[in-house]
Amino acid sequence: IATLNGHGPKDFTEHSLVVAAHMVSLARSESFSNELVKEMSERLSDGSAWQVFRSMVAAQGGSLDHIDNPDLLPGSNNSGAVSATEDGYLKRMDALTVGVCSMELGAGRKSKTDPIDYGVGIEVLAKVGDKIQEGQELLHIHANSKDSLDQAMNELESAIQISDQPVPELDLFYQVVE
């Protein structure tokens, strides 16, 4: 919602525009180009991407009230942070650990019959290569029990490595499979 309204993280916005351009190139049976990325950027800027999203939500029976006012979306009863233990550069954040912790909180399923809790999850607030300071929040956890919050915080602390030397950022794309 934030990205479609022009307020999303820069790297996620860039990633989304490139993926959208690839999808449009497939739909139009034309080659991918930077012009398509520019066209997707214009559709984001002029609000038409947001309107398409709204029409998709409505077509699937979703509540436009909730996307127009995200404060109406479910929330959690407990939240906490995993913060940097020292100054340095974020060297590693284990994605598998973050994903499993999200699932354990209820944001995902172990089996297809498990319910999803739409109010829980993990916000990733830093990425590999970022210069960070001791005490800086790296992950924000939303949980519906104190026990699950504590368990996630303990597991996530081990998922983070900090280096005293600069670390290169990870690429947004490694390969396009055609």
Side-chain angles (χ1 to χ4, degrees), residues 1-2 4-5 7 47 49-58 62-73:
I1 291 173
L4 285 169
N5 282 296
H7 309 296
W50 171 250
Q51 291 306 320
V52 169
F53 175 68
R54 290 182 92 255
S55 67
M56 290 169 50
V57 169
S63 168
L64 295 179
D65 291 340
H66 284 77
I67 63 167
D68 290 338
N69 184 3
D71 291 337
L72 297 175
L73 293 168

PDB file of all heavy atoms in Angstrom, residues 1-2 4-5 7 47 49-58 62-73:
ATOM      1  N   ILE A   1       0.840  -1.193   0.000  1.00  0.00           N
ATOM      2  CA  ILE A   1       0.000   0.000   0.000  1.00  0.00           C
ATOM      3  C   ILE A   1       0.876   1.245   0.000  1.00  0.00           C
ATOM      4  O   ILE A   1       0.645   2.181  -0.758  1.00  0.00           O
ATOM      5  CB  ILE A   1      -0.984  -0.030   1.196  1.00  0.00           C
ATOM      6  CG1 ILE A   1      -2.032  -1.126   0.980  1.00  0.00           C
ATOM      7  CG2 ILE A   1      -1.642   1.318   1.393  1.00  0.00           C
ATOM      8  CD1 ILE A   1      -2.944  -1.363   2.168  1.00  0.00           C
ATOM      9  N   ALA A   2       1.904   1.241   0.850  1.00  0.00           N
ATOM     10  CA  ALA A   2       2.801   2.401   0.900  1.00  0.00           C
ATOM     11  C   ALA A   2       3.508   2.593  -0.437  1.00  0.00           C
ATOM     12  O   ALA A   2       3.615   3.718  -0.933  1.00  0.00           O
ATOM     13  CB  ALA A   2       3.814   2.241   2.037  1.00  0.00           C
ATOM     14  N   LEU A   4       2.576   1.611  -3.461  1.00  0.00           N
ATOM     15  CA  LEU A   4       1.631   2.053  -4.487  1.00  0.00           C
ATOM     16  C   LEU A   4       1.213   3.510  -4.294  1.00  0.00           C
ATOM     17  O   LEU A   4       0.732   4.145  -5.223  1.00  0.00           O
ATOM     18  CB  LEU A   4       0.397   1.148  -4.504  1.00  0.00           C
ATOM     19  CG  LEU A   4       0.623  -0.220  -5.135  1.00  0.00           C
ATOM     20  CD1 LEU A   4      -0.566  -1.129  -4.873  1.00  0.00           C
ATOM     21  CD2 LEU A   4       0.888  -0.105  -6.628  1.00  0.00           C
ATOM     22  N   ASN A   5       1.415   4.030  -3.104  1.00  0.00           N
ATOM     23  CA  ASN A   5       1.123   5.437  -2.836  1.00  0.00           C
ATOM     24  C   ASN A   5       2.371   6.301  -2.830  1.00  0.00           C
ATOM     25  O   ASN A   5       2.349   7.437  -2.363  1.00  0.00           O
ATOM     26  CB  ASN A   5       0.367   5.563  -1.509  1.00  0.00           C
ATOM     27  CG  ASN A   5      -1.084   5.199  -1.668  1.00  0.00           C
ATOM     28  OD1 ASN A   5      -1.822   5.855  -2.384  1.00  0.00           O
ATOM     29  ND2 ASN A   5      -1.506   4.133  -1.018  1.00  0.00           N
ATOM     30  N   HIS A   7       5.285   5.872  -1.213  1.00  0.00           N
ATOM     31  CA  HIS A   7       6.005   6.010   0.049  1.00  0.00           C
ATOM     32  C   HIS A   7       6.773   4.755   0.440  1.00  0.00           C
ATOM     33  O   HIS A   7       7.183   4.624   1.583  1.00  0.00           O
ATOM     34  CB  HIS A   7       5.035   6.365   1.182  1.00  0.00           C
ATOM     35  CG  HIS A   7       4.149   7.520   0.877  1.00  0.00           C
ATOM     36  ND1 HIS A   7       4.632   8.793   0.667  1.00  0.00           N
ATOM     37  CD2 HIS A   7       2.809   7.597   0.717  1.00  0.00           C
ATOM     38  CE1 HIS A   7       3.613   9.599   0.399  1.00  0.00           C
ATOM     39  NE2 HIS A   7       2.509   8.900   0.417  1.00  0.00           N
ATOM     40  N   GLY A  47      -0.773   7.437 -10.171  1.00  0.00           N
ATOM     41  CA  GLY A  47      -1.845   6.838  -9.375  1.00  0.00           C
ATOM     42  C   GLY A  47      -2.609   5.740 -10.071  1.00  0.00           C
ATOM     43  O   GLY A  47      -3.470   5.095  -9.459  1.00  0.00           O
ATOM     44  N   ALA A  49      -1.530   2.802 -11.064  1.00  0.00           N
ATOM     45  CA  ALA A  49      -1.200   1.494 -10.480  1.00  0.00           C
ATOM     46  C   ALA A  49      -2.038   1.272  -9.217  1.00  0.00           C
ATOM     47  O   ALA A  49      -2.543   0.168  -8.975  1.00  0.00           O
ATOM     48  CB  ALA A  49       0.291   1.402 -10.176  1.00  0.00           C
ATOM     49  N   TRP A  50      -2.194   2.314  -8.401  1.00  0.00           N
ATOM     50  CA  TRP A  50      -3.014   2.226  -7.195  1.00  0.00           C
ATOM     51  C   TRP A  50      -4.463   1.907  -7.554  1.00  0.00           C
ATOM     52  O   TRP A  50      -5.104   1.076  -6.917  1.00  0.00           O
ATOM     53  CB  TRP A  50      -2.922   3.530  -6.401  1.00  0.00           C
ATOM     54  CG  TRP A  50      -3.888   3.628  -5.260  1.00  0.00           C
ATOM     55  CD1 TRP A  50      -4.965   4.442  -5.163  1.00  0.00           C
ATOM     56  CD2 TRP A  50      -3.856   2.862  -4.048  1.00  0.00           C
ATOM     57  NE1 TRP A  50      -5.618   4.244  -3.965  1.00  0.00           N
ATOM     58  CE2 TRP A  50      -4.953   3.271  -3.260  1.00  0.00           C
ATOM     59  CE3 TRP A  50      -3.025   1.867  -3.555  1.00  0.00           C
ATOM     60  CZ2 TRP A  50      -5.235   2.723  -2.018  1.00  0.00           C
ATOM     61  CZ3 TRP A  50      -3.309   1.326  -2.308  1.00  0.00           C
ATOM     62  CH2 TRP A  50      -4.390   1.757  -1.558  1.00  0.00           C
ATOM     63  N   GLN A  51      -4.983   2.557  -8.604  1.00  0.00           N
ATOM     64  CA  GLN A  51      -6.369   2.313  -9.006  1.00  0.00           C
ATOM     65  C   GLN A  51      -6.564   0.884  -9.506  1.00  0.00           C
ATOM     66  O   GLN A  51      -7.599   0.262  -9.232  1.00  0.00           O
ATOM     67  CB  GLN A  51      -6.807   3.336 -10.067  1.00  0.00           C
ATOM     68  CG  GLN A  51      -6.937   4.750  -9.521  1.00  0.00           C
ATOM     69  CD  GLN A  51      -7.845   4.842  -8.310  1.00  0.00           C
ATOM     70  OE1 GLN A  51      -8.888   4.208  -8.221  1.00  0.00           O
ATOM     71  NE2 GLN A  51      -7.424   5.645  -7.327  1.00  0.00           N
ATOM     72  N   VAL A  52      -5.581   0.348 -10.220  1.00  0.00           N
ATOM     73  CA  VAL A  52      -5.665  -1.047 -10.672  1.00  0.00           C
ATOM     74  C   VAL A  52      -5.682  -1.981  -9.461  1.00  0.00           C
ATOM     75  O   VAL A  52      -6.465  -2.930  -9.395  1.00  0.00           O
ATOM     76  CB  VAL A  52      -4.516  -1.395 -11.638  1.00  0.00           C
ATOM     77  CG1 VAL A  52      -4.433  -2.898 -11.897  1.00  0.00           C
ATOM     78  CG2 VAL A  52      -4.675  -0.640 -12.957  1.00  0.00           C
ATOM     79  N   PHE A  53      -4.815  -1.708  -8.484  1.00  0.00           N
ATOM     80  CA  PHE A  53      -4.796  -2.512  -7.266  1.00  0.00           C
ATOM     81  C   PHE A  53      -6.156  -2.467  -6.571  1.00  0.00           C
ATOM     82  O   PHE A  53      -6.702  -3.505  -6.175  1.00  0.00           O
ATOM     83  CB  PHE A  53      -3.692  -2.018  -6.328  1.00  0.00           C
ATOM     84  CG  PHE A  53      -3.674  -2.706  -4.987  1.00  0.00           C
ATOM     85  CD1 PHE A  53      -3.332  -4.051  -4.876  1.00  0.00           C
ATOM     86  CD2 PHE A  53      -4.002  -2.008  -3.833  1.00  0.00           C
ATOM     87  CE1 PHE A  53      -3.318  -4.689  -3.644  1.00  0.00           C
ATOM     88  CE2 PHE A  53      -3.979  -2.639  -2.593  1.00  0.00           C
ATOM     89  CZ  PHE A  53      -3.643  -3.979  -2.500  1.00  0.00           C
ATOM     90  N   ARG A  54      -6.735  -1.282  -6.446  1.00  0.00           N
ATOM     91  CA  ARG A  54      -8.046  -1.144  -5.808  1.00  0.00           C
ATOM     92  C   ARG A  54      -9.105  -1.955  -6.559  1.00  0.00           C
ATOM     93  O   ARG A  54      -9.935  -2.623  -5.947  1.00  0.00           O
ATOM     94  CB  ARG A  54      -8.474   0.325  -5.746  1.00  0.00           C
ATOM     95  CG  ARG A  54      -7.666   1.145  -4.766  1.00  0.00           C
ATOM     96  CD  ARG A  54      -8.155   2.603  -4.689  1.00  0.00           C
ATOM     97  NE  ARG A  54      -9.149   2.688  -3.616  1.00  0.00           N
ATOM     98  CZ  ARG A  54     -10.462   2.789  -3.796  1.00  0.00           C
ATOM     99  NH1 ARG A  54     -10.960   2.873  -5.004  1.00  0.00           N
ATOM    100  NH2 ARG A  54     -11.280   2.837  -2.761  1.00  0.00           N
ATOM    101  N   SER A  55      -9.063  -1.925  -7.891  1.00  0.00           N
ATOM    102  CA  SER A  55     -10.054  -2.685  -8.666  1.00  0.00           C
ATOM    103  C   SER A  55      -9.848  -4.188  -8.498  1.00  0.00           C
ATOM    104  O   SER A  55     -10.818  -4.951  -8.469  1.00  0.00           O
ATOM    105  CB  SER A  55     -10.031  -2.278 -10.137  1.00  0.00           C
ATOM    106  OG  SER A  55      -8.823  -2.666 -10.742  1.00  0.00           O
ATOM    107  N   MET A  56      -8.595  -4.620  -8.353  1.00  0.00           N
ATOM    108  CA  MET A  56      -8.328  -6.044  -8.125  1.00  0.00           C
ATOM    109  C   MET A  56      -8.852  -6.478  -6.754  1.00  0.00           C
ATOM    110  O   MET A  56      -9.450  -7.553  -6.616  1.00  0.00           O
ATOM    111  CB  MET A  56      -6.825  -6.328  -8.235  1.00  0.00           C
ATOM    112  CG  MET A  56      -6.305  -6.210  -9.661  1.00  0.00           C
ATOM    113  SD  MET A  56      -4.490  -6.235  -9.794  1.00  0.00           S
ATOM    114  CE  MET A  56      -4.033  -7.649  -8.842  1.00  0.00           C
ATOM    115  N   VAL A  57      -8.638  -5.651  -5.745  1.00  0.00           N
ATOM    116  CA  VAL A  57      -9.144  -5.968  -4.400  1.00  0.00           C
ATOM    117  C   VAL A  57     -10.664  -6.053  -4.434  1.00  0.00           C
ATOM    118  O   VAL A  57     -11.271  -6.997  -3.905  1.00  0.00           O
ATOM    119  CB  VAL A  57      -8.655  -4.924  -3.364  1.00  0.00           C
ATOM    120  CG1 VAL A  57      -9.375  -5.095  -2.038  1.00  0.00           C
ATOM    121  CG2 VAL A  57      -7.144  -5.039  -3.169  1.00  0.00           C
ATOM    122  N   ALA A  58     -11.311  -5.095  -5.067  1.00  0.00           N
ATOM    123  CA  ALA A  58     -12.774  -5.086  -5.150  1.00  0.00           C
ATOM    124  C   ALA A  58     -13.287  -6.309  -5.913  1.00  0.00           C
ATOM    125  O   ALA A  58     -14.269  -6.942  -5.489  1.00  0.00           O
ATOM    126  CB  ALA A  58     -13.257  -3.799  -5.812  1.00  0.00           C
ATOM    127  N   GLY A  62     -12.588  -7.992  -1.630  1.00  0.00           N
ATOM    128  CA  GLY A  62     -11.855  -7.389  -0.510  1.00  0.00           C
ATOM    129  C   GLY A  62     -12.440  -6.051  -0.118  1.00  0.00           C
ATOM    130  O   GLY A  62     -13.214  -5.434  -0.855  1.00  0.00           O
ATOM    131  N   SER A  63     -12.051  -5.596   1.059  1.00  0.00           N
ATOM    132  CA  SER A  63     -12.555  -4.341   1.601  1.00  0.00           C
ATOM    133  C   SER A  63     -11.681  -3.171   1.156  1.00  0.00           C
ATOM    134  O   SER A  63     -10.519  -3.077   1.537  1.00  0.00           O
ATOM    135  CB  SER A  63     -12.571  -4.406   3.125  1.00  0.00           C
ATOM    136  OG  SER A  63     -12.801  -3.126   3.666  1.00  0.00           O
ATOM    137  N   LEU A  64     -12.251  -2.273   0.379  1.00  0.00           N
ATOM    138  CA  LEU A  64     -11.534  -1.062  -0.016  1.00  0.00           C
ATOM    139  C   LEU A  64     -11.320  -0.153   1.182  1.00  0.00           C
ATOM    140  O   LEU A  64     -10.334   0.595   1.224  1.00  0.00           O
ATOM    141  CB  LEU A  64     -12.275  -0.328  -1.128  1.00  0.00           C
ATOM    142  CG  LEU A  64     -12.361  -1.077  -2.460  1.00  0.00           C
ATOM    143  CD1 LEU A  64     -13.140  -0.257  -3.482  1.00  0.00           C
ATOM    144  CD2 LEU A  64     -10.990  -1.424  -2.991  1.00  0.00           C
ATOM    145  N   ASP A  65     -12.203  -0.233   2.170  1.00  0.00           N
ATOM    146  CA  ASP A  65     -12.016   0.560   3.390  1.00  0.00           C
ATOM    147  C   ASP A  65     -10.679   0.236   4.039  1.00  0.00           C
ATOM    148  O   ASP A  65      -9.987   1.121   4.531  1.00  0.00           O
ATOM    149  CB  ASP A  65     -13.137   0.296   4.401  1.00  0.00           C
ATOM    150  CG  ASP A  65     -14.479   0.840   3.941  1.00  0.00           C
ATOM    151  OD1 ASP A  65     -14.486   1.733   3.060  1.00  0.00           O
ATOM    152  OD2 ASP A  65     -15.513   0.377   4.456  1.00  0.00           O
ATOM    153  N   HIS A  66     -10.312  -1.048   4.038  1.00  0.00           N
ATOM    154  CA  HIS A  66      -9.080  -1.476   4.695  1.00  0.00           C
ATOM    155  C   HIS A  66      -7.825  -1.029   3.948  1.00  0.00           C
ATOM    156  O   HIS A  66      -6.820  -0.717   4.570  1.00  0.00           O
ATOM    157  CB  HIS A  66      -9.062  -2.992   4.880  1.00  0.00           C
ATOM    158  CG  HIS A  66      -9.936  -3.441   5.999  1.00  0.00           C
ATOM    159  ND1 HIS A  66     -11.304  -3.519   5.888  1.00  0.00           N
ATOM    160  CD2 HIS A  66      -9.641  -3.814   7.266  1.00  0.00           C
ATOM    161  CE1 HIS A  66     -11.813  -3.921   7.028  1.00  0.00           C
ATOM    162  NE2 HIS A  66     -10.825  -4.113   7.889  1.00  0.00           N
ATOM    163  N   ILE A  67      -7.878  -1.000   2.625  1.00  0.00           N
ATOM    164  CA  ILE A  67      -6.675  -0.555   1.908  1.00  0.00           C
ATOM    165  C   ILE A  67      -6.600   0.969   1.846  1.00  0.00           C
ATOM    166  O   ILE A  67      -5.522   1.524   1.777  1.00  0.00           O
ATOM    167  CB  ILE A  67      -6.526  -1.189   0.508  1.00  0.00           C
ATOM    168  CG1 ILE A  67      -7.664  -0.799  -0.413  1.00  0.00           C
ATOM    169  CG2 ILE A  67      -6.381  -2.693   0.623  1.00  0.00           C
ATOM    170  CD1 ILE A  67      -7.398  -1.130  -1.858  1.00  0.00           C
ATOM    171  N   ASP A  68      -7.747   1.613   1.899  1.00  0.00           N
ATOM    172  CA  ASP A  68      -7.738   3.076   1.935  1.00  0.00           C
ATOM    173  C   ASP A  68      -7.359   3.597   3.317  1.00  0.00           C
ATOM    174  O   ASP A  68      -6.852   4.708   3.447  1.00  0.00           O
ATOM    175  CB  ASP A  68      -9.104   3.634   1.524  1.00  0.00           C
ATOM    176  CG  ASP A  68      -9.390   3.430   0.043  1.00  0.00           C
ATOM    177  OD1 ASP A  68      -8.433   3.247  -0.735  1.00  0.00           O
ATOM    178  OD2 ASP A  68     -10.575   3.445  -0.331  1.00  0.00           O
ATOM    179  N   ASN A  69      -7.600   2.798   4.346  1.00  0.00           N
ATOM    180  CA  ASN A  69      -7.252   3.165   5.721  1.00  0.00           C
ATOM    181  C   ASN A  69      -6.590   1.949   6.375  1.00  0.00           C
ATOM    182  O   ASN A  69      -7.261   1.186   7.081  1.00  0.00           O
ATOM    183  CB  ASN A  69      -8.496   3.603   6.496  1.00  0.00           C
ATOM    184  CG  ASN A  69      -8.151   4.065   7.887  1.00  0.00           C
ATOM    185  OD1 ASN A  69      -6.994   4.123   8.284  1.00  0.00           O
ATOM    186  ND2 ASN A  69      -9.182   4.386   8.661  1.00  0.00           N
ATOM    187  N   PRO A  70      -5.289   1.761   6.166  1.00  0.00           N
ATOM    188  CA  PRO A  70      -4.601   0.567   6.682  1.00  0.00           C
ATOM    189  C   PRO A  70      -4.673   0.408   8.199  1.00  0.00           C
ATOM    190  O   PRO A  70      -4.430  -0.687   8.706  1.00  0.00           O
ATOM    191  CB  PRO A  70      -3.152   0.764   6.227  1.00  0.00           C
ATOM    192  CG  PRO A  70      -3.240   1.670   5.061  1.00  0.00           C
ATOM    193  CD  PRO A  70      -4.409   2.579   5.337  1.00  0.00           C
ATOM    194  N   ASP A  71      -5.028   1.461   8.934  1.00  0.00           N
ATOM    195  CA  ASP A  71      -5.187   1.324  10.380  1.00  0.00           C
ATOM    196  C   ASP A  71      -6.318   0.352  10.734  1.00  0.00           C
ATOM    197  O   ASP A  71      -6.394  -0.133  11.870  1.00  0.00           O
ATOM    198  CB  ASP A  71      -5.449   2.679  11.040  1.00  0.00           C
ATOM    199  CG  ASP A  71      -4.231   3.580  11.001  1.00  0.00           C
ATOM    200  OD1 ASP A  71      -3.096   3.060  10.882  1.00  0.00           O
ATOM    201  OD2 ASP A  71      -4.406   4.811  11.082  1.00  0.00           O
ATOM    202  N   LEU A  72      -7.201   0.061   9.770  1.00  0.00           N
ATOM    203  CA  LEU A  72      -8.286  -0.888  10.000  1.00  0.00           C
ATOM    204  C   LEU A  72      -7.819  -2.342   9.879  1.00  0.00           C
ATOM    205  O   LEU A  72      -8.552  -3.253  10.272  1.00  0.00           O
ATOM    206  CB  LEU A  72      -9.423  -0.643   9.000  1.00  0.00           C
ATOM    207  CG  LEU A  72     -10.127   0.708   9.083  1.00  0.00           C
ATOM    208  CD1 LEU A  72     -11.135   0.846   7.945  1.00  0.00           C
ATOM    209  CD2 LEU A  72     -10.790   0.881  10.441  1.00  0.00           C
ATOM    210  N   LEU A  73      -6.627  -2.551   9.336  1.00  0.00           N
ATOM    211  CA  LEU A  73      -6.108  -3.910   9.187  1.00  0.00           C
ATOM    212  C   LEU A  73      -5.803  -4.504  10.561  1.00  0.00           C
ATOM    213  O   LEU A  73      -5.543  -3.764  11.516  1.00  0.00           O
ATOM    214  CB  LEU A  73      -4.848  -3.904   8.313  1.00  0.00           C
ATOM    215  CG  LEU A  73      -5.066  -3.525   6.851  1.00  0.00           C
ATOM    216  CD1 LEU A  73      -3.734  -3.270   6.146  1.00  0.00           C
ATOM    217  CD2 LEU A  73      -5.864  -4.602   6.125  1.00  0.00           C
TER     218      LEU A  73
END
